[in-house]
Amino acid sequence: MNTLPGRDHPLAIAGFAGPALLLLGLFMLLPLLFAAGATFTDHRLVSPEPTRYIGLENYRRLLALQVVEVEPLRDAAGAALRDEEGIRFPTWRQTRRAHPGLAQYRPAWQVRFGERRFVLAATDPLFYRSLINTFLFALLVLPLQCGAALGLALLVNQRIAGRVFFRTVYFAPVVTSMVVAAIVWSFMLNADRGMINELLRAVTGDPNVGPDWLGEPRYALPAIAIMSAWQGAGFQMLVFLAGLQSISPELYEAATLMGANAWQRFVHVTLPGLRNTIVFVVVSTLLLAFGLFTQVDVMTQGGPLDSTTTVVYHAVRTGFRQQDIGYGSTIAMVFFGIVLLVAVLQRVLVARGENA
């Protein structure tokens, strides 16, 4: 008598895993291989010229760095020239003329020590600026979003009237389109008639108060971080809520009988019970933060002065808007390696913490 293969049979395993592996290969592994191959070419999105193999030229163009020491301008006696702003230094164009090897380099950052100025020059300084912006955004949004999510989870975990309603309200931004949310926040952050500045003017009584949230470099990235934390905190709230409900009530009862107050119960019962949940939330939030694109594309388009340009936005703009697929793929592959390295480092640190 013929019998059907069991769940542990290789054919059954292949039947269940096959469709998922096929989709994974078609929509993730195959594009990744194509992108890796494009990094070695000068392929453009629309071009009458045939694609050429150029080896590692895209990587050299992206990663080339030089630290240049710039001497101040001096008079005939050898003393440094000064003006009302201090010591005068040559412009970057003058520096490149004095050093022909810097013809393709542009300044990314500069720092001054006494009468000497050190310039970090790169062939693509925007990549390094966008990399710094990406990590700054992650550092801003990580405590904001995770802290807000944990606070909301503690709130809706209480036995209060209407907690289902509050859970729904707090989760609503997660299911809202990021494009729609970004447009609404752009109106709210408008310097002239935005709701945020109007509230500040109403509170202070000063009609001129209120910064240009999306028009000034020092405010633009924090404003996007606040908007992103607001939009994503609801999902992490549900994760924290599941973790809170998995903690045995007997632990809280025992802590209360031992005289622990609310803060002591939170530190010594809640946080240890949420250890694995916190690790998951932090890792997932960090990886999502590295992929920042939509908010920047809708709200600032990378400005002002590239202060909100991220690596993903730089790669998409280079690959599709500037139609340089080869170089855009190089940016994406290098950033993929950086994110993979960060993820592995996180995993190692978490494993060490668990074994300690």
Side-chain angles (χ1 to χ4, degrees):
M1 183 176 65
N2 295 329
T3 59
L4 295 175
R7 290 179 297 177
D8 296 334
H9 194 277
L11 291 178
I13 296 174
F16 282 108
L21 293 176
L22 179 62
L23 293 175
L24 179 68
L26 285 177
F27 295 103
M28 293 191 67
L29 297 181
L30 196 59
L32 183 65
L33 292 176
F34 282 148
T39 63
F40 301 105
T41 69
D42 63 350
H43 181 61
R44 300 190 66 85
L45 191 61
V46 179
S47 175
E49 299 294 331
T51 299
R52 295 183 301 111
Y53 173 79
I54 58 174
L56 298 175
E57 177 61 25
N58 282 328
Y59 290 96
R60 186 206 63 79
R61 173 184 167 190
L62 180 66
L63 301 174
L65 277 174
Q66 282 199 33
V67 178
V68 183
E69 181 181 353
V70 180
E71 293 287 340
L73 297 174
R74 301 185 182 275
D75 57 19
L81 297 179
R82 298 176 179 270
D83 55 18
E84 60 275 5
E85 297 180 356
I87 298 176
R88 292 178 55 190
F89 288 91
T91 63
W92 182 247
R93 178 177 296 181
Q94 293 171 329
T95 303
R96 287 193 302 179
R97 287 176 182 173
H99 301 83
L102 299 175
Q104 296 181 349
Y105 287 79
R106 290 172 291 166
W109 298 282
Q110 59 185 18
V111 62
R112 177 178 157 186
F113 294 101
E115 292 189 355
R116 294 188 300 174
R117 173 185 289 174
F118 293 92
V119 178
L120 182 63
T123 51
D124 185 6
L126 185 54
F127 169 73
Y128 293 96
R129 292 174 193 163
S130 63
L131 188 63
I132 294 296
N133 290 339
T134 302
F135 279 96
L136 283 176
F137 174 80
L139 291 176
L140 287 171
V141 80
L142 192 62
L144 282 174
Q145 187 164 325
C146 294
L150 180 57
L152 293 175
L154 290 171
L155 178 64
V156 299
N157 193 45
Q158 305 297 318
R159 294 184 178 180
I160 57 175
R163 60 178 177 174
V164 175
F165 169 77
F166 288 113
R167 290 177 186 177
T168 304
V169 170
Y170 296 148
F171 187 74
V174 179
V175 296
T176 303
S177 168
M178 181 61 79
V179 174
V180 174
I183 292 174
V184 171
W185 273 79
S186 296
F187 290 136
M188 292 171 57
L189 296 170
N190 184 271
D192 297 324
R193 295 296 179 184
M195 186 182 72
I196 304 298
N197 281 352
E198 289 294 335
L199 288 175
L200 290 175
R201 290 161 189 161
V203 171
T204 61
D206 185 355
N208 298 318
V209 77
D212 187 355
W213 296 103
L214 300 179
E216 295 186 24
R218 59 178 174 172
Y219 294 123
L221 193 63
I224 293 178
I226 292 173
M227 176 265 168
S228 301
W230 167 85
Q231 196 274 339
F235 174 76
Q236 279 82 4
M237 177 197 70
L238 291 184
V239 177
F240 277 126
L241 182 61
L244 288 171
Q245 293 180 349
S246 67
I247 300 174
S248 174
E250 296 176 355
L251 296 176
Y252 290 103
E253 294 175 1
T256 303
L257 292 175
M258 295 175 65
N261 56 32
W263 173 252
Q264 291 172 330
R265 291 196 298 270
F266 173 75
V267 172
H268 298 289
V269 178
T270 303
L271 288 183
L274 292 176
R275 176 184 174 83
N276 293 332
T277 304
I278 291 173
V279 171
F280 170 77
V281 169
V282 168
V283 172
S284 60
T285 303
L286 187 62
L287 294 179
L288 289 173
F290 284 152
L292 175 66
F293 172 77
T294 304
Q295 301 94 304
V296 172
D297 190 40
V298 174
M299 299 175 73
T300 62
Q301 295 78 51
L305 301 176
D306 295 318
S307 62
T308 59
T309 298
T310 61
V311 177
V312 175
Y313 184 80
H314 183 35
V316 172
R317 180 171 58 185
T318 301
F320 293 97
R321 296 179 184 175
Q322 300 176 8
Q323 301 186 1
D324 193 346
I325 294 296
Y327 190 61
S329 299
T330 305
I331 298 172
M333 292 304 298
V334 170
F335 188 56
F336 170 75
I338 293 173
V339 173
L340 182 62
L341 181 62
V342 172
V344 171
L345 182 61
Q346 277 188 326
R347 178 58 184 167
V348 171
L349 293 176
V350 170
R352 287 184 179 179
E354 292 176 350
N355 296 331

